[in-house]
Every structure is written in C-alpha cells, then in structure tokens.
C-alpha cells in the first residue's frame, strides 16, 4: 500500500514589513525609563570605563547617572549659565564642559569644584573634547574660534580662526593626538592638525553643521546638518561618499553603535534612524515623544539614552538574555531508551534494515487519510486555525476540491457551522492569494444551501455581508482594470519609442503578453 | 505641527504663545512661535514686518516677550513717559523688544535695525524666564524666572542692577505700578514690592495655581477724597493657570488681603489680557480676555468695591469659518490675541494659527452697547484688513437676546452668503498635504503617510498630486504598490491616488527610461488581482439572486401574518356546518359529501392562493433537509466503515 501523502500546504510570501536581524536587535529593549531634567538635554555622554555611568547636560547642570539609577549619582551645578557638552575623558576620571559664558571647566569625577578653568573664549562654548593623548582639550565657541588647551598648566596652546560662523560641534581623533574635527554654522567641517597651525582638510556640508563624528579608524567622517547626514572619506582628502536624507527636520546628533556597524542619527522630527555602515540604508527607526537633541549608546549597545527638547531623558535598557543559556534539561529514562543506538555506525558486514519511519501527520491529515472529509474541514475551520494560519484552511479546501468531495464536506451543516464557513470566506475572500479557491467554495456553498436560504436570519446576514464584500471587490477590480488600461497606454508609448530606436529589445514578458492581447 | 506638538508640556506653565502688540498705536504685533522664531507683523495690513531667528532657538525657545515703552517727544499720558535711552537714537519709533528664553537669557531685539541689540546674561537667571516688564520711566527691565529670583536690569549697560529672591517657588508674573514705584510679583501668592528698598509692602493670597498674568486696571483710586500715595486704592487683576476666574484685587491700607474684591468668569484659562485703563471714576474699565479655547470675552465694568458674584462677560467673540451651505457646521478658528486700540473703541483681533496669523481691526468695539452681533466683511462698521489667507467671518455669540434696533442675524447672514460665495471655506492650513507626503515618503513615516493617503476627498488628492515634487512620484508609486494589496475598503482609495498620479504625471512617467522595471511589480500585482474578476462577477450574480430571494421570502413572511386571518374564515364555516347538519337531516348522505368536498376544495384553494409559495418552500426545505439528513447519515455510516478499515489494517501490520 502506498503511503499517504500529506496535503500540500501552499506557502505564500508574507506581506508587509520584513523582520530582519536589525529589527529584532533594536526592538529588544525594555520600555523606556523617563527622567525629567531642568531644561533641554543638549548632550549625553557615556563614560568609556565601567561601570559606564553617563553624564547628562541640561540647562546649567551636569548630572551623572549610574546605568540603572534614576536619581543622579552626582551633580555639577557650579555654572553661572547654561552648560554645554559635558564629555568624559577616555579613562572616565575627568569631565570637561563648556558654558554659555565662554568658560571651559574641567572636573574630577569625584570632586565638586572645577580642577581647571580655561578662560579665553568670548562667547558660548558649545563643544569640547579630549584629544587622544588625554592631556589636551579642544573647544569650539560661538566667537568663531577653535582652541586647544593644555590641561597640566591650563594654558591655551593654539587658536584657529578659520571658521566664519558659530562652531557648534567637534570631535577629536581616537588614534592621533594631534587631529581633531570641528563643524560650524558656516556650513564647513574642518580637520585641524595641532602640528600645522591650520586646517588640513575642509569639506563643505551645505547646511549649518550640527554634529560631527569620526569613525574609530579615523578614515571616515560623518557630518550632520540640515536634513542631511553626509559621510566623507578623509583618507581621500575629504571626498563625499554618501549623502543621506532620511529625516524631515534638522538632524541634531549622531552616534556610532559599539560594533561600528550601525550609525544612529537623531533629529528634530522626533525620530532616531539606524543606518547600516556598509549599505547606508535605514535598517531601523525609533520614535520619540519630542524633538531629539542628544543621543548616546552604552558599551555593547546595552542602553540607549536620548535627550529631548522638553527636558525629558529617555533611557532604554536591553532585555537581559540570561535565560537562554540554561543547562540542557536531563531527559527521562524512556527517552534515553528511545534514542538508544541512534548514532550506531554501520560496521563492515552489517546489513542495515531501515524501519520505515513513521510520519507524523497533522490531525486534519489523519482525517483526510481516513476520508473523514467533513471532519477534516471542521478541524481547519477552528478559530485557532482560521485566524493564525488561514493558508492551511485554504489548502485543505483546495485539496478537498481536488478530490471532488468539497461539496460533500460542505453539505449537511447546521446554522452555526455554516456561519463559521461564511465568516472565513468573508474574512479571506478579498485576499488575492486565496481568492480563486474561496470563490469556488462560495459557489458550492450557494449551490448546496440555495433551497434552505431564508430559514436562518444569521446565515442570511452573513450572505448579505459576503455580497457587500464581493461588490466592493468587484468595484475595486474594475478600478484596477481602468488603471491597467492607463498603464498600458504608458507602456505602449515606451515600446513605440523603443521600436523606433535601433535597439529592439522587449525584456519583460508581461509586456509581450500585453501586446499579444492587444 | 511637529515642533509644537508632541512635547510633554509642563502642566503648570501658562498656555498660549508669547505675543504682544507694540504700545501706543498697536502698529506691530510680535509673536514668538513654538519653533523658536520671532515674527513681527504689521497690524495695519497684516504683513510680515520682520523675522528673527535667535541663535539658540532650538534649545532656548522664547518664553515671554515685552515691547519697550514708547518714547515720545511730549508726554501724552502719565503712564507712558519718555524713556531715556540715547544710545539708540531719538526717533519716536518703537524699537526694542525684550525676549526671555527657556534657558534664562534675555535678548533685546531692535526692530529698527532688525537685529539683536544686546543680550542680558551675566549674573541673571539660570532657568526659564517667565515674565519681563519694562519700567515706564527709567529704562530698567524687570524679569522673573523659575529660579525663584527677580532681576532688575540696566538695559544700557546690560548689567544686573539688583537681584533678589522673589518667592519660594518659581516667580511666574510681574507688573509695575502706574507710578513706577511699586512692583507686583506672583508665584502662587502675589507680592507687592517697594522698588527702592526691595521690601515687601503687601501680600495677596488667593490663587491655587501659579499666577500667569498680572495687570493694573486703574491709575487713580476711585474715591478721591483720601490723599493718594501712589498705590493705595488701586485695583489690579490676576489670572492663574488652569483657573477660569480672573480676580480683581484692591490695594488697601490694611496689611493683609485675604480675598479678591471681585472676579470675572471666562470659559477657559486666560492666555492674553488687554484692557483700557480707566482714568476717572465714571469711566468703566474695558477688558478683553483671550482664553485658551480661542474665544475673546469682553467685559465692561466700573470698579467700585466688592462684588461677591463672579461677573460674566458682556460679549463673547468667536471666529468661525463660514459653513458650506446649511449642512456643514462652521469650524471655530482660535483667536490668539486681542488688544484695544489707542482710541479705546476699536479692537484688534489676531486669529488663525501662529504661523500665519490674521490681524483684523474691528472698528466699533462690540462691547459698547450692542449685545449680539455678526461681523461680516463688507458690512458697515466692520473694517476688514487685507488678508492673505481665505477670509473668515466672525460670529459674536451672546447669551442674551438680540437688541431690537439691531439688524437681525438673518439679514447679516444673508450678506455673508453673498460675500463668501466664491471663497474657500477651509481652515488656514499650514501642514499642507504635498509637503507632508514628501516628508513621509522620505523618512518613511507610517503615520504621516497614513494621514495623507487615507483621505477620501478626491479634490484634495488631485491637488496634492499636482503639487507634489517630481522626485517623489516614483517613491509614491512604490508606497502605493505596498498598500494596494490590502482589503478593498482601503485599497480603493489607493487606486484613486494611483489614477491621479498616472493622469497628472503621465508625461513625466513616459520620459522615464526605466519605467517598465519600475512599475513592473505594480502592474503584475494588479493583473494577478483582476484575474478573478470573471469568477467573482459570476459569484456576485449568484449572491444577488440569493439575496433577492431572501428579501422576497421575508416579504412573503410579512404577508403571511394577515393571511393568518384566513383561518377565521374557516371557523365561520363551522357555523355553516350547523346548517349543514340541518340539511343533512333532510338530504341524502351523498349530497352532503359532495357539498363538503366542494367546500373543502374551496378552502384549500383559498389557503393555497394565500400562502402557496411559503408552503411549497417549506415542503421543499423539509424534503431537502430530510434528504440531506439521510445523506449525512449514510455518509457517516460510510465514513464509519472506512474509519475502521485502515486502523484495522495498521493494527494487523
């Protein structure tokens, strides 16, 4: 006797957004914790050293939060005016911050009063950073200048006056202690070398630059300003590699994920976009409640911190994955007996006799195998099946139709059962992937139950619903047919053009079909 | 939309955008919008006079603003004296505008030069500035902030003259007394300070929430018998956040004031207050209060002592779009600000949205004596300014009845209809669909696209497609491809979009070299969907037949109810039967039988005629059911047999 062949379940491509590795990764965060700050959060910076505390600059204060604390561990509030850009040193022990009154202050994490005060800027200092050798600080200010300071004797070493508007962002190279980059509202990003007294590379961003970022290798530079994020190749002397325009308002902050594979940008349009640094396509997007001014990721992307204009700091922690690597469960003795000899290798003189492996059949398959067609249909019309996997239901209906027993299976149902079938039809008839099978089924149902129509108001109502749906679908298809006509016209002009030209290639099959039909 | 909304606003901050009319003749209207821009409008012709973007407009948005008092060659009224500030010039133009920001700095903007004049920072506030007031005489500026302090500035040197702690919580409002020697400040309680010594002169308590507005209403005490020391006997007004009452207080010689003298009720939290000062005892104070719900309430009251009951407004102004015909309800347009002109008669109204407000001058203040009025552009007594946006009509609501000598509302409405026939009746829209659409497509914002694409208005679709930039056409088509696969309900709308795009941008599309690969998937998708058209139409035919049958049978059911009466006829025959019996006594049995048969056949015919169909149906159904039952039973038997077999076999195996 030939083995029973289970009913083929037709799979269809899933509609809608595809679930990628990235969406899984970036969705794997807990609900955000919200912390209210005193003013717009202009900067968030993570300490590079464990325990990875972060400094939040808002209004005239700098708060330092622990990774899981919602109360600040420490507060620096000795600013006369708004503080800007509190940044940790690479060893996490020093913190530097600019201020609206033009001062730059250096703090010890454990202390309270500033260790050093660098006076020299005449206007607000919006950007400060430590150079790679840890002993210098770079600052950019609204007086159009960029200054390099020496920490040990708190002296100004160099001043660059090349920008012609506010300097609002900057970044020091992680590898070379002499290189740093600043972006300005004069639309340029300049790379300075402290050995030369002047900028070595200058690139034109096209909009006031709000944020700059150097890749860890130092070879690529990212600048954000206006609605654009631009990637520059510094090794080629500042060649524009990519220009991204995925936000609809000004991009205010940039951050690189810890692996360096993903670039994040935050914008006033209340979105954070995640780009792949290989394809520069948006792979994920976060929504926030207010315009975003600052953004930072913790070590290993464990935490995403976003600061907004309304003074709310949103902190998202990654869901812990500790449960995954639990010990393999010890199986019962019966199981061990069951798998005994499974991995026995065939010896030379052994003759291996395969026992026909027992196929596991689904319940509906068992029914089908035993020709209980009505029951098989009942099984796939269970709500659990029709809602989750309508394709199985449709496949079974198709199989029954192939066997020619669909009428039998559908016949002899009471009011409740028939309304269940009709419900399924109403829900799925308009889906193009199911339509051919279900239209057939609907016709059979009508044929069977035509004589008894009018007995049950419930069923009558379902039929009315079905009719409404079919009417809508027909209207829709009529519209589609008209549109197809329009597109044919368009395509026809295309082909005429092509035929007039010497090159005569009709690449697309359906075009040919169209011509055949016409 | 995005800039203003979304942010979680502090619930205890005053509502509304900071805005102010320039003093003296109300020539300009300054408005600091939520996107951080300062715009100065000319009130006479509703033109944008200047626009200024502060450098820190993203982080430190403007929270309050105040015009410097006008400098005049000659003194005109005691409270508006010449302000000395020779550094700028001696023209009598109003030029300085003070802006307080969310980060604590104060900017002085010169409207003459159109640029930043100076910046007041050092030693000032380190938190949000809540209110700024200029001193009338000496060019000083007073500001208060969330950092609990009040600061007195010298605007020439841009230095702090004095800074003192004004309250235990944030200080939200300030006002300088008419003689310039006292200062009112308010957090939760209102304090009256002597400016020279910075000492508290009086306390006023009475608001539960932070006070959002303070203003003096009189410049002279009402009873002139007592000597006037500059402050005693004056009235002032206060409004608070989330409070629908405006309180009026009187400064008295007793030290502590417990309760307000009187209060005005309004419909919502006040966002903008303007008044005409009463200079003598008989002249009433006119008060215009703009509420958060966009209405203006006008009050007219002679301030004389206590009044327990809250006063209601004499007149309420609300602006609405003219409805399209009689069916549609007019939509309200919020009023942003209202100010009395210097003649104390006419009223300037600013309404619409803050992005493009419409400024209009109502010549006769409605509060004067009329109780209800409909203001229509073009009707005498109403002077409409040149308006860039589609003109609106105003309705003045009143809770009281119409005055007799007024023109009836109907007549005015009639005039209105003629006037507004050609005009559009949409609200002035700033978030236009083409912009939203392109932004949505570029940032792939699902909500934004939904908002645009799910519109049912065909005209709107057409206009949007017409105005959208060409580079957005292909992304739009791709988005539509995605959305075409859904339920016919929503997909029909997408087809409308698709058709519009194809008709409007046909020439553009035909110039695309890679049109076929671009639209290939769309074409195939549509083609696969219409494949079922024939079968579907067939099914639809069947269904229609079925439905008509159902409705028909329902109708016959309805008929069946009166048909029941036919059985009564049958009962009447029973009386005839009696006579039959009598006959039977006489007649032969055969005859009786025949009669009976005839009658019976008659009866049957009657019945049959009446519910023929139904019976037949029922019979058929019964038969069908019976047959089906039998069928099912036999099937089950068969199934049962077949059920057993394979299992047996497997067991045997």
């Amino acid at each position: 006797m030939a083995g029973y062949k289970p009913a083929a379940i037709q799979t269809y491509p899933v509609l809608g957004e595809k679930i990628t590795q990235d969406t899984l990764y970036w969705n794997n965060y807990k609900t955000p914790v919200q912390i209210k700050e005193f003013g717009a959060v202009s900067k968030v910076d993570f300490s590079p050293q464990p325990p990875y505390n972060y400094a939040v600059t808002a209004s005239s204060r700098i708060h330092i939060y622990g990774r899981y604390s919602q109360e600040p561990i420490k507060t620096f509030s000795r600013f006369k005016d708004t503080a800007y850009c509190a940044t940790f040193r690479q060893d996490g022990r020093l913190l530097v911050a600019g201020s609206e009154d033009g001062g730059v202050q250096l703090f010890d994490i454990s202390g309270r009063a500033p260790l050093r005060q660098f006076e020299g800027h005449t206007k607000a200092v919006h950007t400060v950073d430590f150079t790679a050798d840890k002993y210098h600080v770079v600052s950019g200010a609204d007086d159009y200048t960029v200054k390099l300071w020496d920490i040990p004797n708190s002296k100004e070493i160099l001043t660059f006056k090349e920008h012609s508007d506010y300097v609002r962002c900057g970044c020091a190279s992680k590898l070379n202690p002499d290189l740093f980059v600043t972006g300005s509202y004069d639309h340029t990003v300049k790379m300075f070398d402290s050995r030369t007294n002047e900028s070595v590379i200058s690139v034109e961003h096209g909009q006031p630059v709000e944020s700059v970022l150097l890749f860890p290798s130092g070879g690529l530079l990212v600048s954000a300003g206006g609605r654009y994020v631009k990637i520059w190749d510094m090794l080629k002397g500042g060649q524009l590699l990519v220009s991204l325009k995925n936000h609809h308002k000004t991009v205010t902050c940039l951050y690189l994920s810890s692996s360096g594979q993903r670039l994040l940008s935050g914008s006033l349009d209340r979105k954070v976009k995640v780009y792949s640094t290989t394809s520069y396509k948006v792979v994920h997007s976060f929504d926030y409640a207010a315009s975003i001014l600052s953004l930072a990721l913790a070590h290993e992307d464990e935490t995403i911190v976003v600061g907004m204009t309304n003074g709310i700091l949103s902190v998202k922690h990654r869901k812990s994955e500790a449960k995954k690597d639990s010990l393999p469960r010890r199986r019962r003795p019966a199981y061990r007996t069951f798998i005994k000899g499974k991995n026995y290798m065939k010896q030379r003189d052994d003759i291996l006799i395969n026992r026909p492996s027992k196929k596991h059949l689904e319940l509906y398959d068992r029914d089908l195998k035993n020709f209980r067609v009505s029951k098989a249909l009942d099984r796939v019309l269970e709500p659990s099946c029709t809602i989750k996997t309508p394709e199985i239901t449709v496949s079974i209906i198709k199989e029954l139709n192939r066997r020619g027993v669909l009428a039998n299976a559908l016949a002899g149902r009471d009011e409740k059962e028939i309304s269940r079938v009709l419900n399924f039809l109403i829900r799925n008839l308009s889906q193009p992937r199911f339509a051919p099978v279900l239209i057939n089924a609907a016709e059979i149902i009508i044929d069977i139950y035509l004589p008894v129509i009018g007995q049950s108001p419930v069923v009558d109502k379902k039929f009315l619903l079905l009719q409404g749906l079919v009417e809508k679908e027909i209207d829709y298809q009529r519209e589609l047919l008209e549109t197809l006509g329009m597109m044919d016209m368009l395509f026809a002009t295309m082909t005429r053009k092509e035929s007039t030209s010497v090159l005569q290639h009709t690449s697309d099959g359906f075009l040919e079909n169209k011509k055949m039909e016409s | 939309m995005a800039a203003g909304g979304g942010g979680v606003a502090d619930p205890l901050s005053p509502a509304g955008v900071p805005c102010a009319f320039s003093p003296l003749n109300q020539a300009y209207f300054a408005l600091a919008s939520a996107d951080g821009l300062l715009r100065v409008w000319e009130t006479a012709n509703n033109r944008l006079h200047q626009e200024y973007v502060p450098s820190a407009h993203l982080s430190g948005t403007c929270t309050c603003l105040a015009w410097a008092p006008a400098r005049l060659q000659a003194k005109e009224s005691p409270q508006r004296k010449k302000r000395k500030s020779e550094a700028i010039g001696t023209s009598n133009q109003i030029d300085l505008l003070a802006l307080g920001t969310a980060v604590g700095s104060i900017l002085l903007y010169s409207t003459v030069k159109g640029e930043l004049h100076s910046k007041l920072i050092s030693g000032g506030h380190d938190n949000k500035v809540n209110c700024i007031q200029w001193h009338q005489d000496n060019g000083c500026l007073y500001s208060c902030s969330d950092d609990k302090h009040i600061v007195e500035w010298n605007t020439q040197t841009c230095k702090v003259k004095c800074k003192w702690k004004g309250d235990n919580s944030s200080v939200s409002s300030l006002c300088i007394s008419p003689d310039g020697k006292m200062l009112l400040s308010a957090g939760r309680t209102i304090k009256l300070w002597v400016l020279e010594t910075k000492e508290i002169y009086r306390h006023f308590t009475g608001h539960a929430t932070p006070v959002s507005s303070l203003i003096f209403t009189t410049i002279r005490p009402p009873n002139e018998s007592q000597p006037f020391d500059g402050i005693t006997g004056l009235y002032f007004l206060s409004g608070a956040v989330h409070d629908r009452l405006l309180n009026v207080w009187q400064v008295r010689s007793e030290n502590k004031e417990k309760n307000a003298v009187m209060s005005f009720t309004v419909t919502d939290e006040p966002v903008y207050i303007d008044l005409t000062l009463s200079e003598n005892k008989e002249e009433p104070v006119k008060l215009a209060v703009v509420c958060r719900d966009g209405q203006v309430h006008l009050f007219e009251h002679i301030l004389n002592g206590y009044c327990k009951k809250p006063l209601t407004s004499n007149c309420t102004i609300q602006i609405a779009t003219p409805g399209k015909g009689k069916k549609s309800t007019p939509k309200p347009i919020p009023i942003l600000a209202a100010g009395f002109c210097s003649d104390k008669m006419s009223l300037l109204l600013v309404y619409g949205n803050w992005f493009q407000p419409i400024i209009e001058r109502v010549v006769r203040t409605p509060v004067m004596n009329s109780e209800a009025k409909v203001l229509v552009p073009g009707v005498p007594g109403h002077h409409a300014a040149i308006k860039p946006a589609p003109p609106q009509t105003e309705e003045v609501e009143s809770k009281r009845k119409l005055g007799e000598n007024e023109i009836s509302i109907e007549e005015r409405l009639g005039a209105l209809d003629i006037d507004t026939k050609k005009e559009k009746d949409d609200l002035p829209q700033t978030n236009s669909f083409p912009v939203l659409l392109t932004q949505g497509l570029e940032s792939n914002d699902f909500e934004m696209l939904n908002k645009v694409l799910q519109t049912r208005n065909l005209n709107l679709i057409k206009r949007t497609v017409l105005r959208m930039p060409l580079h957005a056409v292909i992304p739009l088509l791709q988005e539509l491809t995605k959305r075409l696969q859904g339920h016919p309900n929503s997909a029909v709308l997408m087809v409308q979009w698709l058709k519009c795009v194809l008709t409007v941008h046909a020439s553009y599309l035909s110039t695309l070299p890679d049109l076929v690969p671009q639209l290939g998937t769309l074409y195939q998708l549509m083609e696969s969907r219409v494949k079922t058209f024939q079968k579907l139409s067939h099914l639809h035919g069947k269904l229609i037949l079925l439905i008509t049958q159902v409705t028909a049978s329902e109708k016959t059911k309805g008929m069946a109810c009166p048909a029941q009466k036919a059985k009564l006829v049958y009962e009447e025959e029973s009386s005839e039967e009696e006579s039959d019996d009598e006959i039977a006594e006489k007649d032969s049995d055969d005859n009786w039988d025949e009669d009976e048969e005839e009658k019976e056949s008659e009866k049957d015919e009657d019945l049959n005629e009446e519910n023929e169909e139904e019976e037949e149906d029922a019979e058929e159904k019964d038969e069908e059911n019976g047959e089906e039952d039998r069928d099912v039973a036999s099937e089950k038997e068969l199934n049962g047999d077949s059920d057993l077999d394979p299992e047996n076999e497997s067991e045997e195996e």
Side-chain angles (χ1 to χ4, degrees), chain A residues 412, chain B residues 622-635:
Chain B
D622 287 346
E623 280 172 17
E624 282 285 331
N625 281 346
E627 280 172 15
E628 275 165 21
D629 287 346
R630 265 171 266 142
D631 284 352
V632 170
S634 59
E635 251 181 44

Side-chain angles (χ1 to χ4, degrees), chain A residues 457-470:
Chain A
V458 182
V459 175
D460 290 351
K461 206 182 263 174
K462 297 281 178 222
F463 271 116
L464 249 173
L465 272 177
L466 188 65
Q467 192 255 337
L469 179 82
V470 170

Side-chain angles (χ1 to χ4, degrees), chain B residues 68-72 81-86 88 95-96 134-140 155-156:
Chain B
R71 281 170 290 115
L72 291 175
K81 285 177 187 167
K82 186 181 171 189
R83 193 179 65 82
K84 54 151 189 158
S85 134
E86 282 76 18
I88 305 147
D95 49 1
L96 275 188
W134 291 85
H135 195 275
Q136 299 92 322
D137 307 328
N138 58 9
C140 284
T155 48
Q156 283 165 42

